[in-house]
Amino acid sequence: MFGSLKTIDLHNNKLTYLPDTFADLTALTILDLSHNQLQSLPTNLWALPNLTTLNLSHNVLVALPFSSPFTSSDSNPLSRTVDPRGDWYGQNITRAVKPLPKLTTLDVSYNCITAQSVDHRRSVQSGQGDGVWLPEGLMKLDLSFNPLGESTALLRALSLLKNLQELKAEHADIGNNSFPANLFSASSSPPPFARLTVLDIGETHVTKPAIEAALLPNVLRKTLDFDITAGPPKAEGVLRVIVGKKIIKEAWEIEAERRVAARLNRARNVNLDTSEETYFSTPTKTLTSAIRPAKQEAAKEAWEIEAEQGLLTEGAKRRARALAATHAASPSTSNPPSNKPQPVQVQKEPWEIEAEMGLLTAGGRRRARAAAMAASLSVSPSPENPSTPVASATPSPTASSGSALSNPQYYNVATQTLTLPASVALTMKNAFGHARSFSFAPAKSSSSGVPASSSDLALAIPTPTLPLAVIAIQSFASTLKSLILNNRRMDPSFNLPLDESGSPFLPQLEELSLQDCNLGNTVSVSRSQDANAARTNELLLPLLVKLFPNLRTLDLSYNNLTSDALGGDVLSSLILATNNIETQPRKGLRHLRLRGNKLSNLDGFISVSGLFKGHKDGRDVESWKLEELDVRDNEIGRLPPELGLLPLDVLLVDGNVFRVPPRRVWEREGTKGLLGWLRGRIE
């Protein structure tokens, strides 16, 4: 009945045994039987052909009989388990001819398994000769917290697995007798543990000298690493060995220890060479000078030299740079410099200048950076000296805003997408809250000396949700295809150009996203560069139809739209494609996303569905292009049956308050099933 199951999770169920028919689930790929009370497993379980992950941890297993399906006299791995309930169970099924051929991860930790009970060798009676009989694709094996005991034969068998990467035997009750010096032969080919990267035998009786004697680098063709870090294992050719108590070190700790050891070795070698030279060059002197090691100054790190010179602070470094610059600018060596110290003008950091100007607050620094950016963006070369920039006396806000919009941080040339940063309305918390910390660290600047942080660029962008007046004058306006304006809630309004010619400002725009912009059925509109200009309220959807005739995707999710905005005429002009030259041609909308609004009904689509009455296939209506309609997380209390006439590929209605149709209709059959159910309710 369940022959096609691929994943079974039965952990923590207090199971004591599994029926033999359980092994007939040959399609299994993941099986979790951990935290039970299993003492044994069905024989044919070890012949599952597709199993990749097997978790048997925290049981009471005493053996791993990998070869039992192929050597036991009462088992037949090529037939289904016989069941007295019917002949159907007697049909043949496909099993593996090797133990778990696709298994990659095996976890048998916290059991009662010994090394002798792990069946890892073929029997001669099987007709296949003597050899290793383990899952050949095994990559991770965990034998931790098992009483393994003497494990020499098991380790030699595991070393022949070509794909084994991690072997864990923590708290496994093994000792140095499992790692004799002759564990592996130097002439073995291929080398043992060819791909092993982690060998965890921590908290056991095995010692580091025994590991170094058994796992020789010339035998393994790997370098042993006994340092434990929190990161992944090192590069190929390094075997991380965990012995004794596990102490995880950070990467910088290991690097510091390596540097200290290297310095000590260099100092020891220098002292030894000096001692020998003294002994052989002055034989008449006493042997004291030869025996006593010469006092040699160790090599110092860069930070130690800076500490001795008093250059650890930023002020000291700045003074040193100023002094060096003064010496470099002094006359040539023909004129000897005067001993009288010359006054040096120290170049000040930006934060020092701000402190002198009373701009220590975050708001003051932000305003100063924004002013510097606006001035730098309006720089023009002087006619007398083209290399000398001369800033305009009154920088144009439009010019600075346009330069900010062209920044690669916002405009992607490859995808022709403009993404403006979010703007959140001021609240009592973020407008008048008290800062818990402040910093005198200078802001990072670009090579031209202009701050390049994202907050500085955001200050140059107008606050309206849709600053179309600034976008329309950009060089990329005629080719812009995608406009992303998500989370622009500070000023939910549209700033439009003064041009009333009727031609679209963004003729190639196909995607417009206005997610979470606090927009309602109407929007405040201004048609001037002046922020204090008079504004008028206009209906949102008809305005979008007028501004962007070639839209293919419109995302108005998480706003405050109600059902009153979705009238039949508005939806027709928004969705349907038209070729009327007198009004304005439209390509037709493909994706309409209205998730998370305040819609209570979808009656506006009833008039639109009238286009499809009498059509067997809704695709016959050429003006209809809509493929996706997303109305999730609204307050819709009823779905009109006429909605089933719409030829939609995706209709998402989760998170609403209606109970008819039931959820199982679209969960089982998807959009087609839901539309079919609605069509069946049309009277």
Side-chain angles (χ1 to χ4, degrees):
M1 182 180 296
F2 303 104
S4 61
L5 276 179
K6 293 187 176 182
T7 302
I8 294 182
D9 187 351
L10 296 173
H11 80 283
N12 200 14
N13 277 285
K14 298 183 179 180
L15 301 177
T16 57
Y17 74 97
L18 293 176
D20 292 339
T21 55
F22 189 87
D24 294 339
L25 302 174
T26 55
L28 277 180
T29 58
I30 300 176
L31 178 58
D32 188 353
L33 298 172
S34 60
H35 293 84
N36 284 289
Q37 300 175 9
L38 298 173
Q39 297 181 3
S40 61
L41 297 171
T43 301
N44 286 334
L45 185 71
W46 307 105
L48 292 176
N50 299 306
L51 194 64
T52 60
T53 302
L54 179 59
N55 189 354
L56 300 173
S57 61
H58 295 272
N59 281 282
V60 287
L61 298 174
V62 295
L64 294 177
F66 291 110
S67 63
S68 58
F70 315 97
T71 59
S72 178
S73 59
D74 57 348
S75 64
N76 186 6
L78 301 180
S79 65
R80 187 181 291 274
T81 304
V82 178
D83 194 281
R85 292 176 293 179
D87 296 336
W88 182 83
Y89 292 91
Q91 299 177 4
N92 292 338
I93 61 174
T94 303
R95 299 189 189 275
V97 296
K98 296 180 180 180
L100 302 175
K102 294 186 178 181
L103 189 69
T104 59
T105 303
L106 176 60
D107 187 355
V108 290
S109 58
Y110 293 92
N111 280 280
C112 303
I113 301 172
T114 62
Q116 303 299 327
S117 63
V118 179
D119 188 7
H120 57 81
R121 306 193 69 82
R122 294 189 181 100
S123 63
V124 179
Q125 291 79 5
S126 65
Q128 299 179 2
D130 192 17
V132 177
W133 197 239
L134 292 170
E136 57 185 11
L138 198 61
M139 299 176 64
K140 297 181 180 181
L141 176 60
D142 193 346
L143 295 168
S144 302
F145 293 89
N146 279 287
L148 293 181
E150 203 276 329
S151 308
T152 304
L154 178 60
L155 289 173
R156 287 172 178 166
L158 293 175
S159 68
L160 300 178
L161 296 178
K162 299 179 180 179
N163 298 318
L164 188 62
Q165 298 179 8
E166 294 185 12
L167 176 58
K168 296 182 179 180
E170 186 180 3
H171 284 276
D173 194 20
I174 57 178
N176 290 338
N177 57 343
S178 298
F179 291 89
N182 60 348
L183 179 61
F184 301 116
S185 173
S187 60
S188 58
S189 179
F193 294 121
R195 297 186 60 186
L196 192 66
T197 58
V198 175
L199 176 60
D200 187 355
I201 47 177
E203 304 292 341
T204 62
H205 300 292
V206 182
T207 60
K208 182 177 178 180
I211 293 294
E212 292 175 339
L215 306 180
L216 296 176
N218 60 338
V219 176
L220 290 182
R221 296 180 177 89
K222 294 178 182 289
T223 303
L224 300 184
D225 179 18
F226 293 92
D227 293 323
I228 309 172
T229 60
K234 293 183 178 180
E236 187 176 357
V238 177
L239 174 59
R240 175 177 294 175
V241 182
I242 303 174
V243 181
K245 187 174 180 61
K246 184 181 296 186
I247 301 176
I248 300 178
K249 298 179 181 179
E250 297 291 339
W252 66 268
E253 294 180 295
I254 297 176
E255 180 65 18
E257 293 177 356
R258 185 193 65 79
R259 291 188 178 186
V260 170
R263 288 175 55 189
L264 291 177
N265 290 334
R266 289 197 301 267
R268 188 180 298 110
N269 294 335
V270 170
N271 292 341
L272 183 60
D273 295 342
T274 305
S275 304
E276 293 177 354
E277 182 179 356
T278 303
Y279 179 80
F280 289 108
S281 60
T282 57
T284 58
K285 295 184 180 180
T286 60
L287 293 179
T288 305
S289 60
I291 298 175
R292 184 186 299 121
K295 198 169 185 179
Q296 183 74 19
E297 185 177 359
K300 297 181 180 179
E301 299 288 341
W303 66 269
E304 294 176 304
I305 299 175
E306 291 183 355
E308 294 178 355
Q309 297 179 358
L311 298 178
L312 284 183
T313 62
E314 290 295 330
K317 292 180 180 179
R318 191 165 61 251
R319 289 190 294 271
R321 289 196 298 268
L323 185 59
T326 304
H327 289 315
S330 60
S332 59
T333 55
S334 58
N335 298 327
S338 175
N339 295 330
K340 184 178 180 181
Q342 299 294 331
V344 178
Q345 183 178 3
V346 180
Q347 183 180 3
K348 297 181 180 180
E349 298 288 342
W351 66 268
E352 294 178 302
I353 300 175
E354 291 180 357
E356 294 177 356
M357 298 174 62
L359 298 177
L360 285 180
T361 62
R365 293 196 298 271
R366 190 164 58 250
R367 287 190 295 272
R369 290 195 297 268
M373 168 158 288
S376 64
L377 292 175
S378 60
V379 167
S380 60
S382 174
E384 293 81 3
N385 188 3
S387 63
T388 305
V390 178
S392 174
T394 57
S396 171
T398 304
S400 61
S401 301
S403 302
L405 292 179
S406 303
N407 192 285
Q409 183 175 347
Y410 301 133
Y411 179 63
N412 189 328
V413 179
T415 60
Q416 296 179 352
T417 301
L418 178 63
T419 304
L420 297 190
S423 60
V424 182
L426 292 177
T427 61
M428 292 295 294
K429 180 177 180 180
N430 58 26
F432 304 104
H434 295 282
R436 293 182 177 272
S437 62
F438 62 93
S439 173
F440 288 104
K444 293 183 179 180
S445 300
S446 63
S447 59
S448 60
V450 180
S453 64
S454 59
S455 60
D456 299 337
L457 291 174
L459 288 173
I461 296 176
T463 57
T465 300
L466 176 60
L468 188 58
V470 179
I471 299 175
I473 62 176
Q474 302 303 312
S475 59
F476 55 78
S478 59
T479 59
L480 186 65
K481 290 186 177 181
S482 181
L483 181 58
I484 310 300
L485 304 171
N486 298 337
N487 299 313
R488 294 185 59 79
R489 302 168 56 90
M490 178 179 292
D491 185 7
S493 63
F494 289 0
N495 181 228
L496 307 181
L498 296 173
D499 185 12
E500 298 291 345
S501 60
S503 60
F505 302 108
L506 305 176
Q508 301 297 328
L509 189 68
E510 296 181 353
E511 179 183 0
L512 176 63
S513 180
L514 292 166
Q515 283 191 31
D516 197 14
C517 291
N518 198 25
L519 298 175
N521 295 347
T522 61
V523 62
S524 180
V525 179
S526 63
R527 288 182 169 84
S528 175
Q529 297 292 343
D530 187 4
N532 299 322
R535 297 185 178 185
T536 59
N537 289 331
E538 299 185 23
L539 294 177
L540 176 63
L541 293 183
L543 181 60
L544 294 179
V545 172
K546 178 181 177 182
L547 293 176
F548 310 111
N550 296 322
L551 272 185
R552 311 307 295 272
T553 300
L554 178 59
D555 192 347
L556 292 171
S557 302
Y558 302 105
N559 284 287
N560 298 317
L561 296 177
T562 65
S563 298
D564 297 336
L566 303 180
D569 297 337
V570 175
L571 289 176
S572 298
S573 61
L574 178 65
I575 296 174
L576 301 180
T578 60
N579 294 323
N580 192 347
I581 303 177
E582 296 180 358
T583 57
Q584 206 172 42
R586 294 186 57 83
K587 293 184 178 180
L589 205 62
R590 291 184 180 272
H591 309 276
L592 178 58
R593 300 178 182 126
L594 301 172
R595 181 179 185 179
N597 282 276
K598 298 180 179 180
L599 305 180
S600 58
N601 62 74
L602 298 176
D603 295 341
F605 288 91
I606 296 178
S607 61
V608 180
S609 63
L611 297 172
F612 305 97
K613 291 182 179 180
H615 291 270
K616 293 183 178 179
D617 187 2
R619 301 298 179 185
D620 296 341
V621 181
E622 296 181 357
S623 60
W624 179 266
K625 306 295 183 182
L626 193 64
E627 301 173 355
E628 175 189 358
L629 177 60
D630 186 356
V631 291
R632 290 176 292 177
D633 302 327
N634 279 280
E635 302 171 1
I636 301 174
R638 173 181 172 272
L639 291 180
E642 292 78 5
L643 201 63
L645 298 175
L646 303 180
L648 294 171
D649 293 337
V650 178
L651 176 59
L652 305 176
V653 296
D654 288 321
N656 286 283
V657 297
F658 63 83
R659 296 188 177 182
V660 178
R663 178 183 293 271
R664 63 176 179 273
V665 172
W666 65 83
E667 285 186 345
R668 292 180 179 179
E669 304 179 19
T671 298
K672 292 184 178 180
L674 176 59
L675 295 178
W677 190 95
L678 291 172
R679 284 195 299 270
R681 268 57 182 178
I682 298 178
E683 298 179 357

